[in-house]
Amino acid sequence: MSVSLEVKERAVRPRSLRNQLRHSGQVPAVVYGFEIESTPISVEEKELTRILRDNGVNAVITMTVGGKKINTLLFKAQLDTFTSKMKHVEFLAVNMKEATEVEAEIVLVGESEGVKAGGELAQNLYNVLVSATPDKLPERVEVDITKLAIGDAITVADLPKSKDYDIITDGEEQIAAVVEAKSETEEESVGEAAEPTVIGEKPE
């Protein structure tokens, strides 16, 4: 999937220009990679946020820089700690004919047999590294857990195969497992701290 984003080339000096851009609803950014030198740009924050919300973080974003149309992926976004607004964004220009690697979200689908039987579902891995040409990169990888019984686990090797992309993450990595639910007695015993031993104190 490819979407268009309007960008503007920007000056890097003085540094106060960055704050001026942010106050006007723009985000300082940079684009670099395939057939383009590192170029400072600015983008409208609302438009970029809308694109990512509607198309996902792995969408191919097409922009025109220096009169040249390029295809990019969002590589990194720095957010403000307090407001969560974007402070700076990096775009990676890509070759649409060459495979690239990104992370895709793992989404568990269905309710497992083990949970229905009283077990607890524990998810240990939330993203996998995938490789594909930019137009085939998935936003998410779904895994059906309905047949997962108590004591069963799903690993990366169990993920469904796709003709569009390859999964790079080690196949032995555990994604999720269904374990027996702890009884109230077990939870209480875990919460109780043992009486501390004082060094040098003689036992009675």
Side-chain angles (χ1 to χ4, degrees):
M1 180 182 296
S2 177
V3 291
S4 298
L5 175 66
E6 183 179 348
V7 304
K8 297 178 181 179
E9 294 188 46
R10 64 178 174 88
V12 294
R13 295 286 187 275
R15 292 180 63 87
S16 59
L17 286 176
R18 295 186 182 185
N19 288 331
Q20 292 177 22
L21 285 171
R22 295 184 184 110
H23 289 152
S24 66
Q26 299 284 313
V27 181
V30 63
V31 56
Y32 53 84
F34 180 65
E35 294 187 344
I36 184 173
E37 294 183 358
S38 181
T39 305
I41 58 174
S42 64
V43 302
E44 185 179 343
E45 183 177 20
K46 286 184 178 180
E47 179 63 10
L48 178 56
T49 300
R50 182 193 66 78
I51 286 175
L52 298 178
R53 182 188 66 239
D54 295 346
N55 303 279
V57 295
N58 290 338
V60 176
I61 299 175
T62 302
M63 59 181 69
T64 301
V65 179
K68 182 179 179 180
K69 197 172 185 179
I70 59 174
N71 296 302
T72 72
L73 294 173
L74 178 68
F75 182 69
K76 185 185 298 182
Q78 181 184 356
L79 305 180
D80 185 277
T81 306
F82 301 103
T83 65
S84 294
K85 287 184 172 292
M86 296 183 185
K87 292 185 64 177
H88 189 268
V89 179
E90 294 181 26
F91 293 96
L92 179 66
V94 293
N95 182 348
M96 296 298 288
K97 296 180 180 180
E98 290 186 359
T100 187
E101 296 181 0
V102 300
E103 284 193 337
E105 181 186 9
I106 296 173
V107 178
L108 306 183
V109 179
E111 184 179 6
S112 76
E113 295 177 357
V115 171
K116 290 180 180 179
E120 294 181 350
L121 178 68
Q123 185 171 355
N124 307 309
L125 192 66
Y126 293 86
N127 296 281
V128 286
L129 189 65
V130 298
S131 174
T133 53
D135 60 319
K136 300 291 186 181
L137 290 171
E139 178 67 21
R140 53 199 287 179
V141 177
E142 295 186 349
V143 53
D144 186 356
I145 62 169
T146 53
K147 295 185 178 180
L148 210 61
I150 294 176
D152 289 346
I154 288 181
T155 66
V156 171
D158 297 320
L159 290 174
K161 306 299 180 186
S162 172
K163 60 182 178 59
D164 292 332
Y165 58 84
D166 294 320
I167 297 177
I168 307 301
T169 302
D170 189 340
E172 294 184 1
E173 289 265 6
Q174 188 182 92
I175 296 173
V178 177
V179 297
E180 291 188 1
K182 291 181 179 179
S183 65
E184 293 183 5
T185 304
E186 288 176 324
E187 290 180 351
E188 289 175 0
S189 64
V190 171
E192 292 177 358
E195 186 176 341
T197 300
V198 180
I199 297 176
E201 182 180 21
K202 295 182 180 180
E204 296 180 358

